[in-house]
Amino acid sequence: METQAPTAQFTVIPNRRPATDEERWIAMEDPVFGKVFTDHMARATWREEDGWADRRIVPLAPIPMHPGAAVLHYAQQAFEGLKAYRWEDGSIRLFRPEANAARLASSCRRMALPEVSEEDFLAAVEALVEADQNWVAGAEGASLYLRPLVIATEASLLVQPAAEVDFIVTASPVGDYLSNGDVGVSIWVSRGYHRANAGGTGDTKTAGNYAASMLPQKEAKEHGCGQVLFLDAREDTYVEELGGMNLVAVRADGSILTPRLSGTILPGVTRDSILTLLRDEGRTVEERDIALTELVEGIESGDIAELFAVGTAAVVTPIARLVSDDLDVSLPERSEEDGPSVATAMRALLTDIQYGRAEDRHGWTREVVPAPEG
Ligand SMILES: Cc1ncc(COP(=O)(O)O)c(C=O)c1O
């Protein structure tokens, strides 16, 4: 085994057969979210006795795994999602990667997995973006979606924390994902299924949460809805979050209402960024329990003017309608005289910061590849 430097350094083993320029251009033209992958991946391994080692950037390839690997049986894993953006000057920046590193460490603790240090997380992601920088398009809405993943690879059917674990990061060029512009999506309010319970893994980014959300997501589709909204499991009363996005409401008086981070909701990086930008504008932001009935009555009375969902993949998605077995309520349609919605304005402001077109007052962007000279 190669000796590893004590600091996190990912040795690059270049892909000898990267995609040709033409293959890459075709793949990047209109990529389906998460279906196209770059030439490399980051990888490190952990053994109980040695800790993390073998930090590498290697050609993207299938990962051979024993059929008894713990992750396949007991879903002992955690993951993340963040993006790199190409600025107009040609440089490439990550958006708040430290926040994703902290969330992955927290997810790993909950899943009894070894933590990936912030240093290793940033080193892996940065080395991968650097190696695959020609996969970062400059087009509006385009970015490189990074998927860090920690999995229990030990071949063991014992229900106990694995002694062998892999850390992997893949990268996917993505376009402007399903924002639905100002039209908005219809949301299915799941009544029979819940996403998370107190003491469970609702605030953890781990596979089981998503596996359990697929049936309600299918139900949503069957009712003509694009996403599911989950209620709390204890009282079946309070709105929590969507399958992969946090929820924000705008009141008629311009103040903001959003479910508090109760422990059963994923603390979204986009949620935190948008709430910060809304507070910067001087808006009141209330984070508290919100009953579905309060939301519906607010929409019907005109007290709630807008609902939108926020997350890394789609940034900001306006919600047009809430639907369930006993419910069908539409948000008011906007006319041109109304001016841009809060959702549209926030989407524009956040993406302007991400692409370097607006001042980064909070120091959220992190340069990975500098602008070419001259
Ligand atoms: C369940 C869930 N909620 C919220 C979010 C939004 O989080 P972020 O803004 O960090 O992407 C995600 C996406 O990661 C998610 O999967």
Side-chain angles (χ1 to χ4, degrees):
M1 206 206 321
E2 216 173 274
T3 358
Q4 288 281 328
T7 53
Q9 278 193 351
F10 282 69
T11 313
V12 181
I13 297 159
N15 190 333
R16 303 244 164 265
R17 291 182 170 208
T20 62
D21 286 347
E22 201 189 345
E23 283 165 349
R24 201 174 61 248
W25 291 330
I26 292 168
M28 286 169 70
E29 206 176 300
D30 189 16
V32 177
F33 186 89
K35 289 257 195 182
V36 178
F37 293 87
T38 60
D39 296 314
H40 297 91
M41 61 184 184
R43 191 159 185 196
T45 52
W46 179 89
R47 297 286 175 270
E48 201 167 23
E49 56 281 12
D50 308 320
W52 288 107
D54 294 331
R55 298 169 175 86
R56 291 190 188 167
I57 302 297
V58 293
L60 180 85
I63 44 171
M65 212 186 291
H66 193 286
V71 66
L72 301 177
H73 300 267
Y74 309 127
Q76 193 196 0
Q77 67 98 263
F79 68 99
E80 267 307 321
L82 69 162
K83 284 177 173 174
Y85 302 85
R86 188 179 290 280
W87 286 17
E88 224 171 84
D89 64 5
S91 65
I92 301 175
R93 319 263 175 145
L94 291 163
F95 184 73
R96 304 189 71 180
E98 303 86 355
N100 296 91
R103 192 170 63 188
L104 183 64
S106 155
S107 296
C108 284
R109 281 194 293 278
R110 178 63 183 87
M111 300 312 292
L113 287 162
E115 281 178 40
V116 175
S117 67
E118 181 185 271
E119 193 187 13
D120 268 335
F121 183 96
L122 295 176
V125 164
E126 291 183 6
L128 180 60
V129 171
E130 206 181 331
D132 284 336
Q133 56 184 275
N134 52 11
W135 287 88
V136 191
E140 180 61 39
S143 59
L144 190 66
Y145 181 79
L146 297 149
R147 174 49 70 91
L149 174 70
V150 181
I151 50 172
T153 51
E154 186 186 9
S156 168
L157 300 184
L158 288 173
V159 182
Q160 65 178 31
E164 294 171 20
V165 172
D166 269 18
F167 170 50
I168 293 165
V169 188
T170 58
S172 297
V174 295
D176 210 356
Y177 176 73
L178 157 116
S179 79
N180 260 34
D182 254 353
V183 182
V185 288
S186 294
I187 300 290
W188 175 250
V189 184
S190 177
R191 305 315 296 264
Y193 303 107
H194 294 100
R195 181 183 170 276
N197 213 331
T201 57
D203 60 355
T204 304
K205 206 158 165 63
T206 190
N209 294 337
Y210 300 84
S213 76
M214 289 189 194
L215 186 58
Q217 180 65 40
K218 198 171 148 206
E219 204 177 74
K221 272 230 166 92
E222 286 161 7
H223 288 87
C225 295
Q227 291 281 330
V228 200
L229 171 63
F230 291 100
L231 301 184
D232 78 291
R234 189 195 292 253
E235 296 188 48
D236 197 30
T237 298
Y238 301 103
V239 293
E240 293 210 312
E241 63 177 323
L242 278 64
M245 279 182 271
N246 294 113
L247 183 72
V248 180
V250 184
R251 283 226 171 93
D253 66 4
S255 65
I256 306 298
L257 198 54
T258 191
R260 74 185 167 95
L261 298 177
S262 56
T264 50
I265 292 177
L266 193 80
V269 178
T270 318
R271 174 189 183 276
D272 183 74
S273 309
I274 293 282
L275 297 186
T276 302
L277 295 175
L278 288 164
R279 286 189 173 109
D280 285 353
E281 284 190 343
R283 290 179 193 268
T284 308
V285 177
E286 254 187 287
E287 298 180 54
R288 62 165 169 85
D289 292 336
I290 308 165
L292 176 65
T293 49
E294 179 185 350
L295 208 57
V296 171
E297 284 165 21
I299 295 168
E300 284 170 347
S301 72
D303 179 42
I304 303 269
E306 275 181 59
L307 270 186
F308 58 88
V310 295
T312 297
V315 193
V316 174
T317 305
I319 294 171
R321 194 172 148 230
L322 294 181
V323 189
S324 199
D325 291 328
D326 52 356
L327 174 77
D328 193 341
V329 57
S330 292
L331 275 292
E333 277 184 34
R334 302 184 69 84
S335 67
E336 272 193 21
E337 294 97 72
D338 296 332
S341 63
V342 174
T344 304
M346 279 300 121
R347 182 186 172 80
L349 179 54
L350 187 58
T351 51
D352 280 351
I353 295 169
Q354 289 166 335
Y355 287 95
R357 297 182 297 244
E359 192 194 346
D360 177 15
R361 290 172 50 197
H362 298 281
W364 284 338
T365 64
R366 185 179 166 101
E367 186 177 279
V368 181
V369 177
E373 284 181 27

